[in-house]
């Protein structure tokens, strides 16, 4: 009888196991481990993400119910207490680096030419339970952490992520990230820092953002705008030379201000250091920023990062990064088939068929019953 791998096993084929094993050795994650290896921990938590498990007990029960099919996937049953101990002690940096490696590979596969080199920066808050999370900041009575993301809109995935307290300003992790020369960075008002803009410009990067309402541009040139368009003005000038506390503005190069009217009728002012591109191209770049909002919405609704399986900071970080790894694996698995176009529908079909033995390309089709031999029904086993 022909063997068919489970859907879970087929999704795991997109994990770079060579890099995973290298990271396990580098972080000594399996040093003096007797029961639960890091790979088993990873598979158990990934199973929980893809299956939509709400607790460690649910992961334990789900793995036990599918123990016969875990062998080919390389997994095994896990006791919830052992898994809880591993989540509290195993290095979260291992999963952060694994995610970064997989995200970079996904971005390289989808980049077609230099025009696709766009990065969107933003951050979102993830609320935590008040029980056992005293390490997290409290704002307005709510404990939360902040997930800072560098997002590739063409690969539809996060590339770099940083987890901080919710009081940390958005631009601070951005200042620590590695700047890619020639890249286009798109961000909102949370990254309003002239010195950082100067650093981007010095590295040959293009940036697109918004101007604050109280920022006055010293206009030096006015450009024509297309008739009957949503672009109201296109001007070149200098940012204010002086900042608060009589500090001098380090960004003294000319910038471009494009005023546009969005679909709601509101008027916004965009700023960029690109003085040559068409105004509608700059407007379209900023419009792409909405994709990261949709990304945040998708992972919060479909992955388990709202209800956490552990209360320690290490356990929370591990769960967040495995959720992001699960997102990359789902997108990679979806790319291998053509039957299901919508990412949400595909994720739900994977959840429903996770341990079923059927191909990824047939998740939305009815599985035909096995063929029967009519001779067997009548016990007529004589050769024909």
């Amino acid at each position: 009888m022909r063997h068919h791998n489970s859907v879970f096993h087929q999704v795991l084929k997109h994990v770079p196991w060579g890099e995973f094993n290298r990271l396990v050795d580098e972080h000594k994650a399996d040093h003096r481990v007797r029961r639960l290896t890091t790979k088993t921990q990873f598979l158990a938590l990934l199973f929980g993400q893809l299956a939509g498990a709400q607790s460690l007990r649910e992961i334990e029960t789900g793995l036990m119910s599918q123990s016969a099919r875990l062998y080919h996937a390389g997994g095994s049953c896990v006791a919830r207490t052992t898994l809880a101990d591993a989540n509290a002690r195993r290095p979260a940096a291992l999963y952060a680096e694994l995610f970064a490696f997989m995200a970079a590979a996904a971005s390289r596969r989808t980049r077609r030419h230099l025009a696709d080199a766009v990065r969107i920066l933003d951050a979102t808050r993830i609320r935590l339970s008040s029980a056992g999370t005293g390490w997290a900041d409290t704002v307005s009575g709510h404990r939360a952490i902040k997930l800072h993301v560098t997002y590739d809109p063409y690969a539809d995935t996060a590339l770099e992520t940083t987890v901080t307290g919710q009081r940390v300003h958005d631009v601070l992790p951005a200042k620590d990230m590695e700047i890619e020369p020639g890249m286009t960075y798109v961000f909102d008002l949370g990254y309003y820092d002239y010195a950082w803009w100067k650093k981007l410009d010095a590295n040959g990067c293009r940036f697109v953002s918004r101007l604050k309402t109280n920022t006055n541009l010293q206009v030096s040139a006015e450009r024509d705008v297309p008739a009957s368009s949503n672009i109201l003005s296109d001007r070149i000038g200098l940012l204010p030379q002086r900042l608060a506390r009589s500090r001098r503005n380090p960004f003294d190069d000319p910038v471009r201000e494009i005023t546009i009217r969005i679909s709601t009728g509101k008027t916004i002012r965009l700023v960029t250091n690109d003085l040559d591109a068409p105004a509608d191209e700059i407007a379209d770049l900023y419009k792409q920023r909405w994709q990261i909002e949709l990304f945040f919405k998708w992972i919060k609704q479909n992955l388990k990062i709202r209800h956490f399986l552990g209360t320690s900071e290490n356990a929370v970080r591990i769960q967040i990064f495995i959720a992001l790894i699960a997102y990359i694996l789902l997108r990679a698995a979806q790319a291998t088939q053509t039957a299901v176009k919508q990412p949400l529908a595909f994720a739900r079909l994977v959840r429903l068929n996770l341990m079923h033995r059927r191909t990824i390309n047939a998740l939305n089709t009815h599985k035909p019953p096995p063929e029967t031999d009519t001779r067997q029904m009548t016990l007529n086993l004589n050769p024909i």
Side-chain angles (χ1 to χ4, degrees), residues 128-146:
L128 304 173
S129 170
S130 59
T133 53
W135 50 269
D137 297 336
T138 302
V139 176
S140 301
H142 299 294
R143 294 191 183 278
I145 56 177
K146 188 180 285 188

Side-chain angles (χ1 to χ4, degrees), residues 29-323:
D30 284 344
H31 182 60
R32 293 185 177 179
V33 171
R34 293 184 299 174
R35 295 183 180 179
L36 184 66
T37 65
T38 303
K39 181 179 180 180
T40 305
Q41 177 203 21
F42 172 63
L43 293 178
L45 294 176
L46 188 61
F47 172 86
Q49 285 289 343
L50 297 177
Q54 299 286 344
S55 64
L56 293 176
R57 185 186 295 274
E58 192 170 342
I59 293 177
E60 178 188 34
T61 306
L63 292 174
M64 289 180 60
S65 67
Q66 301 292 342
S67 58
R69 298 186 178 181
L70 285 175
Y71 172 78
H72 292 286
S76 61
C77 299
V78 178
R80 64 183 184 276
T81 53
T82 307
L83 186 57
D85 291 340
N87 293 344
R89 299 173 183 174
R90 301 292 172 86
L94 184 154
Y95 296 106
E97 294 177 25
L98 177 64
F99 161 73
F101 178 87
M102 296 174 63
S107 178
R108 287 193 298 270
R109 285 194 299 268
T110 56
R111 187 184 300 181
R112 295 162 297 188
H113 44 73
L114 189 60
D116 294 343
V118 177
R119 298 290 181 264
I120 304 175
L121 307 180
D122 206 351
T124 185
R125 282 181 173 82
I126 301 176
R127 292 187 52 179
L128 304 173
S129 170
S130 59
T133 53
W135 50 269
D137 297 336
T138 302
V139 176
S140 301
H142 299 294
R143 294 191 183 278
I145 56 177
K146 188 180 285 188
L147 182 65
H148 305 263
V149 171
T150 302
Y151 178 79
D152 183 346
Y154 295 98
D156 190 17
T157 188
L159 294 179
E160 297 182 35
T161 57
T162 305
V163 179
T164 68
Q166 61 177 326
R167 296 180 183 272
V168 175
H169 199 278
D170 293 356
V171 76
L172 295 181
K175 289 181 177 181
D176 294 332
M177 76 175 187
E178 182 180 355
I179 296 176
E180 300 180 59
M183 193 66 63
T184 297
Y185 290 93
V186 183
F187 41 85
D188 62 3
L189 293 173
Y191 299 83
Y192 213 84
D193 188 287
Y194 293 153
W196 184 60
W197 293 4
K198 177 70 174 180
K199 186 177 179 181
L200 293 176
D201 186 71
N203 281 272
C205 299
R206 176 172 60 170
F207 65 82
V208 179
S209 185
R210 286 179 59 184
L211 277 178
K212 292 183 178 179
T213 56
N214 60 351
T215 300
N216 296 318
L217 194 72
Q218 301 177 22
V219 180
S220 59
E222 191 95 20
R223 300 182 59 173
D224 295 334
V225 297
S228 65
S229 71
N230 62 336
I231 300 174
L232 305 180
S233 67
D234 187 355
R235 306 186 300 174
I236 297 176
L238 297 175
L239 294 167
Q241 295 182 358
R242 292 290 178 179
L243 305 176
R245 300 176 183 175
S246 300
R247 292 181 295 119
R248 183 174 181 80
N249 182 3
F251 193 6
D252 52 3
D253 293 330
V255 295
R256 188 173 170 194
E257 175 202 85
I258 300 173
T259 305
I260 62 174
R261 180 179 287 112
I262 59 178
S263 58
T264 60
K266 181 181 177 182
T267 300
I268 62 174
R269 295 190 303 158
L270 304 182
V271 60
T272 179
N273 62 337
D274 188 339
L275 308 182
D276 302 317
D280 55 353
E281 178 182 323
I282 302 300
D284 290 341
L285 279 171
Y286 189 77
K287 190 176 181 180
Q288 288 188 38
R289 205 192 67 81
W290 182 247
Q291 294 186 39
I292 197 172
E293 302 292 347
L294 298 178
F295 169 77
F296 287 146
K297 181 180 179 181
W298 199 96
I299 62 174
K300 287 182 177 180
Q301 290 181 347
N302 298 280
L303 299 175
K304 297 303 171 185
I305 59 172
R306 285 190 169 183
H307 178 77
F308 288 91
L309 306 176
T311 57
S312 68
E313 182 177 2
N314 193 73
V316 169
R317 289 178 179 270
I318 287 178
Q319 185 169 337
I320 288 176
F321 285 113
I322 288 187

Side-chain angles (χ1 to χ4, degrees), residues 341-359:
K341 301 294 185 181
Q342 297 297 327
L344 178 58
F346 181 79
R348 288 173 175 173
L349 286 170
V350 168
R351 178 172 300 179
L352 291 172
N353 297 276
L354 187 59
M355 300 306 294
H356 291 188
R357 289 175 176 169
R358 56 192 313 182
T359 63

